[in-house]
Amino acid sequence: MEFATKKYMVKYENNPVMSPSMMPIQCLYTFNPGAIKYKDEYILMMDVTTLDDIHRIWIARSKDGYNFKADPQPPKWPAPDPTHPETCTYDPRITQIGDEFIILYASDLSQNNVRVGIIKTKDFETFERVAIASELGNRNGALFPEKINGLYCRLDRPFGNEQDPCSMWVSYSPDLVFWGKSEPVKFNGVPFMDGFKMGAGAVPIRVKEGWLEFYHTVSTTCNGFIYRIKACILDAENPAKILGYTKDFLLYPEPQNDYENEGRVGNVTFICNAIPEPDGSIKIYYGAADTNIGLATCNMQEIIDLCMANPCNE
Ligand code: BMA
C-alpha cells in the first residue's frame, strides 16, 4: 500500500485572503467564490451572508491575487422571473466563452428548494439574465467553456433532500435555456459515487487528456458532513465518462487551520473555479468553513498525472 507523502495543494501562508472582517459592511460570512482573471485583475464573486441571513453574491478584486478588496456594494443583480422568485443566490461558477462570462449559481427559495440560475456579464459591472433558474432540486452547475458535439454542456447535481446522497451529472442545451439529455457521470461504465455526496467543484479546464475537473466529495460523521476536494479527468467528447480520478483527497480542512473549522459550517472546503496560470500552476480560491476564503495552489500536470494513475479500464 502506498500512502501520500506530498501535499499537492499548497495553502497560502497568510490565509484567509478574505473573511467577514475585511468587508465594508457588517456581515456573517464570506465564502465559496467563483474566481476568474479579467483584464489585469483577479475577480472573486463571493457568497456573502448579510445580517438578515441571506446569501448574496458580492465581488472582491485584486491586482496580485493575494490582497483583495470587496466592492462597496453588491452587484446589481438581474431581477428574477416573477414565476421564480429567489431568496438566496450563492456558489457562482464563472465560465468565459468569447468575450462573455456566463455565471451558473444556486438560486434558492429555501434550503431544499434550489435551482441553477444563469446570468452573464462582459465587464463584471452589469449583469443580464440568460435564463430563469431551471428545474427544482438542482445545484452545483458548472458550464463547460466550449460546446461539446454542438451543444452547451454543464455539470450539475440533481438532489432531493439535503440529507440524501447525490452525485455529479452532465446535461446539455442548445441555447443555455432548455436543458436535457442528462446522465450521471460514470467510471468503468457505472454511475460514479465518490463519497456520500459529490458535485462539481470547478468549471472544467480543457487539457490535452480531456477535461480536468476538481469536484467535492462529502463524507459523513456521526454529527455532520466533511467537504473535501478531489480531481478527475473527463473524456473530451463524452464528459459523462471519467478517464481517471485521484484516489486521495487533494484539498481538505486541516485541524490546525481555525479558518477552515470555525464558522457557519466547520470542516468544509468548497470550490467553484480553478484558475490556470501561465507557469503551469493552478490557483484555487476556496470557501473554508462556509465563512472565509483561502488560496491554495497546485501544479496542473501533477494533478493530471495523479488522475491518470488511477485509470478507467473500460
Ligand atoms: C452545500 C452548499 C454550499 C456549502 C456546503 C457546506 O450544500 O450549500 O454552499 O458550502 O453545502 O455547507
Side-chain angles (χ1 to χ4, degrees):
M1 179 85 188
E2 266 193 54
F3 297 104
T5 50
K6 174 173 170 154
K7 267 195 177 168
Y8 288 93
M9 292 265 182
V10 178
K11 292 174 185 168
Y12 175 47
E13 56 191 2
N14 294 326
N15 270 350
V17 295
M18 180 58 66
S19 55
S21 62
M22 295 164 67
M23 289 293 290
I25 52 147
Q26 298 297 319
C27 69
L28 300 174
Y29 318 114
T30 54
F31 60 115
N32 297 4
I36 201 155
K37 269 174 149 173
Y38 169 67
K39 294 195 170 161
D40 59 347
E41 282 186 330
Y42 291 80
I43 302 263
L44 299 183
M45 290 186 82
M46 315 175 284
D47 299 354
V48 169
T49 312
T50 40
L51 297 188
D52 48 7
D53 210 19
I54 291 183
H55 301 332
R56 305 160 192 278
I57 290 169
W58 200 301
I59 292 178
R61 303 168 200 260
S62 168
K63 294 275 184 221
D64 63 5
Y66 300 96
N67 298 290
F68 283 89
K69 188 164 184 237
D71 287 356
Q73 289 288 320
K76 196 166 178 306
W77 200 250
D81 188 275
T83 61
H84 177 74
E86 57 188 15
T87 309
C88 292
T89 50
Y90 58 99
D91 297 356
R93 294 176 169 88
I94 309 167
T95 300
Q96 181 168 11
I97 298 186
D99 64 350
E100 288 191 326
F101 299 91
I102 299 166
I103 298 145
L104 275 54
Y105 67 97
S107 166
D108 174 326
L109 283 169
S110 65
Q111 185 71 8
N112 288 317
N113 289 302
V114 185
R115 305 170 194 241
V116 177
I118 308 184
I119 62 165
K120 66 180 181 182
T121 183
K122 282 191 171 173
D123 56 10
F124 292 95
E125 299 292 343
T126 54
F127 294 83
E128 193 183 314
R129 186 161 297 281
V130 175
I132 64 162
S134 59
E135 76 284 2
L136 190 62
N138 204 339
R139 190 153 54 194
N140 297 307
L143 181 69
F144 286 73
E146 292 167 20
K147 286 186 177 173
I148 298 177
N149 300 317
L151 295 171
Y152 291 105
C153 182
R154 79 181 186 198
L155 297 169
D156 54 22
R157 195 191 69 176
F159 71 108
N161 185 289
E162 195 63 60
Q163 307 305 322
D164 292 340
C166 45
S167 61
M168 197 159 71
W169 286 54
V170 170
S171 303
Y172 296 88
S173 171
D175 55 5
L176 294 171
V177 177
F178 295 94
W179 289 91
K181 238 174 141 273
S182 302
E183 58 173 315
V185 170
K186 299 180 196 70
F187 185 64
N188 290 339
V190 178
F192 187 58
M193 193 60 181
D194 193 354
F196 175 70
K197 300 200 262 191
M198 64 174 289
V203 165
I205 299 169
R206 187 72 169 96
V207 294
K208 67 176 187 314
E209 293 80 357
W211 296 100
L212 171 59
E213 168 60 18
F214 291 95
Y215 60 92
H216 65 256
T217 151
V218 180
S219 310
T220 48
T221 68
C222 63
N223 61 358
F225 295 138
I226 307 175
Y227 279 70
R228 306 178 177 106
I229 307 302
K230 294 176 76 174
C232 63
I233 302 290
L234 304 173
D235 184 89
E237 297 296 313
N238 172 18
K241 179 177 179 180
I242 294 181
L243 301 181
Y245 71 98
T246 53
K247 282 197 166 133
D248 291 337
F249 299 126
L250 297 173
L251 181 68
Y252 43 90
E254 295 174 273
Q256 71 275 19
N257 295 337
D258 291 348
Y259 67 93
E260 295 173 338
N261 297 303
E262 290 172 9
R264 178 175 181 260
V265 189
N267 262 328
V268 172
T269 47
F270 193 94
I271 72 173
C272 294
N273 278 102
I275 303 180
E277 296 284 20
D279 65 357
S281 69
I282 297 180
K283 275 200 179 71
I284 292 182
Y285 295 97
Y286 65 99
D290 282 3
T291 298
N292 304 294
I293 296 173
L295 165 63
T297 50
C298 59
N299 177 280
M300 171 145 30
Q301 195 56 52
E302 280 184 355
I303 304 296
I304 295 170
D305 293 347
L306 278 179
C307 293
M308 299 315 285
N310 182 26
C312 150
N313 61 22
E314 237 188 335

